[in-house]
Amino acid sequence: MKYGKKIVALAGGVGGAKLADGLAQCLEPDELAIIVNTGDDLEHLGLSISPDLDTVCYTLAELANPDSGWGRDQESWRTLEEIKKLQGPDWFAIGDLDLATHLERTRRLREGQTLSEITAHFCRRWGIHVPIFPMSDTPVRTYVHCQDGRCLAFQEYFVKYHFEPQIRSIEFENMKNAVVPEKALTALKNADFVLFCPSNPFVSIDPIIQIEAVGSIIAQKKVIAVSPLIGGEALKGPAAKMFHELGMKPGSSAVADHYRAILDLFVLDHKDEAQIALIEGWGIICKALDIFMPDRPARKRLAGQILKILDEQT
Ligand code: GDP
Ligand code: CA
């Protein structure tokens, strides 16, 4: 059944992909578009790799590893084992099936196709009907400035150093030259609601909304965000740790505060209900739901509840 309104969801990797999949289960393909962070992209072993884009695509295609949330299900690691044997860079795990994606993406990029064209093609081949866009067709790269003075490319910080270094600030290189795919801009312009998935605010959502072309449209839209933190903790990754190191107490209200200037509606977990009054005091409508998505049905349930809340707003 048609929902009747258009949603654009912004997503990073694992957390974002879960809610994006829930929305895809509830909405018709022409009612949803997903814009994905590419600040985490890297060149590795000569390949162009887009980890968040792949996570979202694999998840919607039901090809993702259900335990880790990233990479492919039924994966094998023979290539990586050989790279290790040859003393190549094995810190970034690429499985054999995943490798095909990076090889073919790299080949097509070298042929002159854009990342958004390649993503659209892959999505068709994987049976995904919802449009999925990279936030930029040109490289934007996230760097982490650490308190020890190092400046690390995002995947070095995240994978090689297991997000152990304390961070001082985050920088997005080439943000000014970002080229947002035309169809993504059209989807944003036509959207009734822009939804920030429960992704890391600093390194998954910020890189998307800090692109001028995206930010200026979003400023005119009704924006809803879902907290990636439950009970002050991240389910995975460095989101809570980052709040702490950037001088804020990690929690759902800190997430809402981070988005405060653009947020109309915020969804947090029942466990964090005590923070609703504070957030509503900022003029943001705040609702509590069960925002933990351990499986596919939970994603659909949460997406359905959010869509119902949005429906009540109009
Ligand atoms: P990454 O690029 O793979 O790190 O993924 P994202 O930035 O999209 O998501 C990371 C965030 O997802 C973390 O802060 C997690 O706390 C959050 N997350 C993961 N699973 C869930 C879930 O089931 N519910 C909610 N609300 N957040 C989740
Ligand atoms: Ca990511």
Side-chain angles (χ1 to χ4, degrees):
M1 207 181 68
K2 264 209 170 310
Y3 177 62
K5 296 202 181 72
K6 291 188 191 294
I7 314 281
V8 170
L10 310 189
V14 173
K18 288 187 193 175
L19 188 58
D21 180 48
L23 292 164
Q25 292 182 62
C26 294
L27 295 167
E28 296 294 325
D30 65 344
E31 296 177 320
L32 176 65
I34 304 161
I35 303 178
V36 182
N37 171 44
T38 58
D40 298 11
D41 290 12
L42 72 161
E43 281 70 43
H44 185 70
L45 292 166
L47 301 173
S48 298
I49 305 180
S50 299
D52 286 356
L53 210 44
D54 291 342
T55 295
V56 172
C57 291
Y58 292 161
T59 302
L60 265 72
E62 293 185 75
L63 294 170
N65 177 330
D67 301 320
S68 62
W70 57 270
R72 293 281 300 259
D73 197 13
Q74 315 266 314
E75 186 58 287
S76 60
W77 301 91
R78 299 190 64 192
T79 309
L80 189 68
E81 280 157 23
E82 286 301 301
I83 289 168
K84 197 182 230 151
K85 197 176 285 174
L86 298 172
Q87 297 187 307
D90 63 343
W91 59 270
F92 192 82
I94 300 174
D96 300 328
L97 298 176
D98 195 26
L99 179 61
T101 305
H102 312 318
L103 283 167
E104 182 56 11
R105 173 189 293 123
T106 305
R107 188 190 70 78
R108 287 175 181 263
L109 283 169
R110 289 202 183 131
E111 232 179 31
Q113 296 183 32
T114 63
L115 185 57
S116 53
E117 286 167 347
I118 298 165
T119 305
H121 172 73
F122 286 3
C123 285
R124 277 194 297 277
R125 300 303 300 167
W126 288 326
I128 298 169
H129 301 293
V130 171
I132 299 175
F133 304 107
M135 69 182 196
S136 175
D137 270 327
T138 54
V140 174
R141 292 291 179 268
T142 300
Y143 285 90
V144 177
H145 295 276
C146 306
Q147 293 185 11
D148 62 15
R150 278 181 296 173
C151 173
L152 300 173
F154 182 75
Q155 296 298 343
E156 279 185 61
Y157 160 78
F158 192 70
V159 179
K160 197 178 202 173
Y161 299 113
H162 316 286
F163 49 88
E164 279 159 7
Q166 304 224 324
I167 68 164
R168 196 177 57 208
S169 61
I170 290 155
E171 189 184 343
F172 307 120
E173 189 189 67
N174 280 333
M175 180 69 97
K176 286 214 160 44
N177 302 323
V179 175
V180 183
E182 208 48 53
K183 286 180 183 165
L185 288 175
T186 305
L188 269 176
K189 283 176 195 150
N190 293 335
D192 295 294
F193 296 101
V194 177
L195 189 157
F196 298 176
C197 287
S199 290
N200 185 310
F202 304 108
V203 292
S204 291
I205 301 296
D206 278 357
I208 310 176
I209 62 180
Q210 286 186 20
I211 298 174
E212 170 67 31
V214 174
S216 61
I217 301 175
I218 287 181
Q220 315 293 323
K221 295 286 169 181
K222 281 220 175 322
V223 177
I224 173 170
V226 179
S227 181
L229 302 183
I230 300 179
E233 287 173 17
L235 290 140
K236 203 186 147 284
K241 185 175 174 284
M242 284 180 165
F243 271 103
H244 191 70
E245 289 164 9
L246 294 171
M248 293 164 272
K249 188 169 176 280
S252 286
S253 62
V255 176
D257 195 10
H258 182 75
Y259 297 136
R260 190 160 163 175
I262 43 174
L263 213 53
D264 298 287
L265 232 142
F266 188 67
V267 176
L268 45 63
D269 195 81
H270 287 301
K271 288 201 180 85
D272 297 323
E273 262 166 6
Q275 297 169 37
I276 289 179
L278 174 67
I279 295 166
E280 295 217 313
W282 300 332
I284 298 164
I285 300 165
C286 187
K287 305 278 183 191
L289 297 171
D290 174 5
I291 63 168
F292 178 48
M293 295 171 281
D295 50 31
R296 270 200 112 211
R299 297 172 194 162
K300 185 176 180 183
R301 173 198 41 81
L302 178 58
Q305 290 169 333
I306 291 168
L307 292 173
K308 193 157 168 281
I309 289 171
L310 293 181
D311 212 26
E312 289 161 6
Q313 304 306 310
T314 47

